[in-house]
Amino acid sequence: AVTMLTGCGGGNDDGKLKVGIIQLMEHPSLDTIRTSIIEGLEEEGYVDGENIVIDYQNGQNDMSTMKNIAQKFVGDEVDVIVAIATPAAQAALSETTDIPIVFAAITDPVDAELVDSLETPGGNVTGTSDEVSAEQIMGLAKEITPGFKTIGALYNIGEDNSVSVVAGLKDFAAKNGYKVVESTVTNTSEVQQAAQYLADKVDVVFSPIDNTIASSMAVVTDIFNKADIPYYVSADSMVKDGGLATYGIDYTVLGNETAKMIADILGGADPATMAVKKMSDMSVYVNTDTAKEIGVEIPKAVLDKATTFPQ
Ligand code: TRP
């Protein structure tokens, strides 16, 4: 038999490297990221079932489920844990400070206490960040629907990725004379009521890159569209799913970049000194159906630079 020799020994009998993927939950963006990671790994020469074995587990947006998954990966002595979304990466790090963890799409890895710094992570964890700026997204809001004064913030207070972006929103609001009304949830069952609460109180609503909201877009956009409220979001998938607009990154590119980092780690690189990669290419995304439904005319200058949904 042919044996693959690489930098990481995983105690694996048949010589295949083991990759454990822990994904917070299923929603369109996280699914895109996972698919792009697996495709990217193939491009790097790591093919599931050939020279690696991928064990994909879904955390159901539940901390105890994720703890069990992380413990299973540690017990299985996987060679690398790939963690998609902030709470999944945090669950993985709580179970091991030895096995390398490569995270994907962590909005703020420092605030989430996953790395010491972006340049020098310092431990067993590194990966890609999908940092966005609330200030830039509200800048887009000013171009599309100028004149608003109150901004609703709808998010899961338990997601560090969201808390960090909303802190930026509050900063922006304080400096520019806007009022922020927060409406927070702790799980998907609270989303409808939290959105409804904002519907007659604010001029526009903002959601950060929040997993809980991203998985509840049908419920949320139904409420805001009926109330004719412009709903600014933070990810392309959330615009595709009915949000009005955002200024955000391309998650297929992010998945491929994550795969390159995973390949480097499988080849023996040290996560402690491998800098976190931020995505530099940002684009404007607009949902033209939503604009029509709430009676907003998207300025030509915005349309000219936007990727529009439905496609
Ligand atoms: N950035 C999120 C996190 O840190 C994960 C994420 C990626 C996400 N793409 C998204 C969340 C799209 C909401 C919508 O956990």
Side-chain angles (χ1 to χ4, degrees):
V2 180
T3 315
M4 273 264 311
L5 287 177
T6 72
C8 300
N12 197 338
D13 295 340
D14 60 6
K16 287 176 191 149
L17 294 165
K18 292 189 203 170
V19 177
I21 301 182
I22 176 169
Q23 180 176 319
L24 172 67
M25 66 197 301
E26 296 198 333
H27 67 65
S29 188
L30 301 190
D31 294 341
T32 298
I33 295 166
R34 187 186 71 251
T35 314
S36 316
I37 288 174
I38 293 171
E39 282 167 8
L41 279 174
E42 282 177 16
E43 264 158 49
E44 298 294 320
Y46 291 104
V47 182
D48 187 22
E50 283 181 23
N51 52 354
I52 59 170
V53 176
I54 296 177
D55 182 2
Y56 161 55
Q57 300 287 336
N58 172 0
Q60 319 284 358
N61 204 16
D62 178 70
M63 268 334 246
S64 68
T65 306
M66 280 185 290
K67 188 177 174 65
N68 289 338
I69 295 169
Q71 283 173 345
K72 173 186 189 292
F73 287 163
V74 172
D76 289 349
E77 296 181 9
V78 300
D79 295 281
V80 61
I81 296 174
V82 177
I84 306 178
T86 300
Q90 289 170 328
L93 178 57
S94 325
E95 299 308 321
T96 179
T97 49
D98 290 329
I99 298 174
I101 299 169
V102 180
F103 57 67
I106 304 300
T107 305
D108 190 335
V110 176
D111 266 15
E113 296 184 356
L114 293 165
V115 295
D116 295 342
S117 74
L118 298 182
E119 301 70 34
T120 312
N124 60 322
V125 187
T126 188
T128 54
S129 168
D130 61 350
E131 185 190 54
V132 295
S133 147
E135 176 159 5
Q136 281 177 332
I137 296 169
M138 293 324 291
L140 178 66
K142 285 200 285 189
E143 279 187 77
I144 298 177
T145 51
F148 60 87
K149 293 190 174 61
T150 52
I151 307 166
L154 177 67
Y155 65 103
N156 181 345
I157 192 115
E159 293 191 28
D160 286 338
N161 40 298
S162 300
V163 173
S164 144
V165 177
V166 171
L169 175 75
K170 289 180 192 164
D171 236 34
F172 160 82
K175 280 189 199 123
N176 295 279
Y178 296 99
K179 188 177 164 215
V180 174
V181 179
E182 291 185 70
S183 186
T184 62
V185 303
T186 58
N187 61 55
T188 41
S189 72
E190 297 167 5
V191 170
Q192 179 162 18
Q193 203 183 351
Q196 196 65 59
Y197 171 81
L198 290 174
D200 57 0
K201 283 186 188 57
V202 297
D203 302 321
V204 301
V205 174
F206 170 81
S207 280
I209 321 184
D210 188 286
N211 295 286
T212 307
I213 303 300
S215 69
S216 315
M217 287 299 289
V219 168
V220 175
T221 56
D222 188 51
I223 292 168
F224 294 146
N225 288 355
K226 276 193 185 122
D228 287 343
I229 291 179
Y231 181 36
Y232 294 97
V233 291
S234 298
D236 53 355
S237 66
M238 296 169 87
V239 175
K240 190 171 182 216
D241 288 346
L244 180 60
T246 195
Y247 184 65
I249 70 150
D250 181 331
Y251 284 93
T252 304
V253 173
L254 179 138
N256 291 331
E257 290 296 330
T258 310
K260 284 182 201 156
M261 297 179 80
I262 299 165
D264 286 347
I265 300 279
L266 287 172
D270 181 5
T273 54
M274 194 189 288
V276 172
K277 208 174 273 175
K278 282 203 224 176
M279 301 301 110
S280 48
D281 271 347
M282 311 266 294
S283 313
V284 172
Y285 297 89
V286 171
N287 190 312
T288 50
D289 276 357
T290 300
K292 228 174 273 159
E293 206 171 324
I294 65 173
V296 163
E297 190 167 340
I298 307 291
K300 187 172 179 308
V302 172
L303 277 180
D304 283 348
K305 62 186 173 189
T307 301
T308 55
F309 295 108
Q311 278 173 341

